Amino acid sequence: QKEVEQNSGPLSVPEGAIASLNCTYSDRGSQSFFWYRQYSGKSPELIMSIYSNGDKEDGRFTAQLNKASQYVSLLIRDSQPSDSATYLCATRTKDYGGSQGNLIFGKGTKLSVKP
Amino acid sequence: DVKVTQSSRYLVKRTGEKVFLECVQDMDHENMFWYRQDPGLGLRLIYFSYDVKMKEKGDIPEGYSVSREKKERFSLILESASTNQTSMYLCASSPPLGYYSYEQYFGPGTRLTVT
């Protein structure tokens, strides 16, 4: 069973700090990795995608991928109270659910940024 | 911007009723998905479709069916609603499969209550 694991949290950080969210995955064949943000009562919103080892930066967000360790993380710099949400990690594995390949989601980490 | 819309934000139905949830996307995406999301269980894939008139079962298809008569529209049908189908239902779409792509975009969700 292919899995994506995340610490459920809550992860609490003070405003202005760096929030670090982590995710591990079991399928070594995973090729694409995504981070979604989900506010309470809302649907998931894609915020980052990463496909190769290393770092990818977009504004205050940095995604980090280490395929050898099967580990992907999301760093949020200068955290704001508006970043308080649940963050879902997802991976695409090639043969899950058919030849197209679907996403497997973690259950999410709840982040709370305190003013 | 990708736009995925769902027919209702909130829906209340009685046990045994037939329920239709509709999803429409405006980005000409080939792939469409239905998930349900429950506290502690995360996102679970019900059905998906990667072409008109094609459908594939996800992890939890029992009690559900789907219809995709047009590329932009994907409907989820609860043949005889039961209380354990009370949940948040999320539709998503994604562009054609590319080796490194497969970003899924979600609709706003339908919170269904079955009484």
Side-chain angles (χ1 to χ4, degrees), chain A residues 38 43-44, chain B residues 6 33-35 37 43 88-92 106-109:
Chain A
Q38 186 174 23
S43 61
Chain B
Q6 295 183 229
F33 307 83
W34 276 106
Y35 296 88
Q37 188 175 34
L43 279 165
M88 169 73 97
Y89 288 89
L90 292 159
C91 175
F106 285 86

Side-chain angles (χ1 to χ4, degrees), chain A residues 34-92:
Chain A
F34 307 93
W35 283 100
Y36 287 82
R37 178 177 62 200
Q38 186 174 23
Y39 293 114
S40 180
K42 303 294 186 182
S43 61
E45 172 194 10
L46 180 67
I47 54 171
M48 290 285 288
S49 55
I50 186 166
Y51 307 111
S52 53
N53 277 329
D55 295 359
K56 179 182 177 183
E57 189 174 315
D58 183 1
R60 295 187 295 112
F61 298 100
T62 299
Q64 299 175 315
L65 175 61
N66 183 326
K67 287 186 178 180
S69 300
Q70 295 177 241
Y71 179 92
V72 58
S73 64
L74 179 71
L75 301 179
I76 306 175
R77 288 182 301 282
D78 189 25
S79 296
Q80 301 297 309
S82 59
D83 295 324
S84 298
T86 297
Y87 290 80
L88 306 177
C89 173
T91 71
R92 181 204 154 215

Side-chain angles (χ1 to χ4, degrees), chain A residues 3 5 9 17 24 40 42 44 50 57 59-60 63 78 86 90 95 100-101 105 107-108 111 113:
Chain A
E3 292 181 339
E5 298 285 344
T24 59
S40 180
K42 303 294 186 182
I50 186 166
E57 189 174 315
R60 295 187 295 112
D78 189 25
T86 297
D95 61 347
Q100 293 281 334
F105 288 85
K107 293 181 181 178
L111 172 66
V113 181

Side-chain angles (χ1 to χ4, degrees), chain B:
Chain B
D1 275 353
V2 176
K3 187 138 184 178
V4 181
T5 58
Q6 295 183 229
S7 49
S8 305
R9 287 287 284 123
Y10 299 94
L11 207 54
V12 179
K13 294 292 182 180
R14 293 196 180 275
T15 302
E17 280 193 83
K18 192 168 186 175
V19 182
F20 294 87
L21 303 180
E22 295 216 314
C23 174
V24 178
Q25 49 94 4
D26 68 357
M27 285 302 292
D28 202 35
H29 284 171
E30 268 72 7
N31 307 311
M32 297 188 76
F33 307 83
W34 276 106
Y35 296 88
R36 64 178 282 178
Q37 188 175 34
D38 302 286
L41 297 178
L43 279 165
R44 292 183 290 168
L45 183 63
I46 304 171
Y47 268 97
F48 62 101
S49 167
Y50 49 85
D51 203 352
V52 176
K53 297 205 185 282
M54 298 193 73
K55 59 186 178 184
E56 296 282 346
K57 293 179 180 179
D59 297 322
I60 52 164
E62 297 78 19
Y64 303 94
S65 61
V66 290
S67 172
R68 192 162 180 206
E69 297 295 319
K70 293 186 178 181
K71 190 176 185 180
E72 67 272 16
R73 190 180 298 268
F74 191 35
S75 300
L76 179 70
I77 303 154
L78 286 65
E79 297 290 343
S80 177
S82 63
T83 54
N84 62 12
Q85 292 179 310
T86 292
S87 186
M88 169 73 97
Y89 288 89
L90 292 159
C91 175
S93 73
S94 74
L97 180 67
Y99 190 71
Y100 289 109
S101 67
Y102 219 68
E103 299 170 347
Q104 287 187 18
Y105 299 91
F106 285 86
T110 296
R111 185 163 294 281
L112 172 68
T113 301
V114 182
T115 61

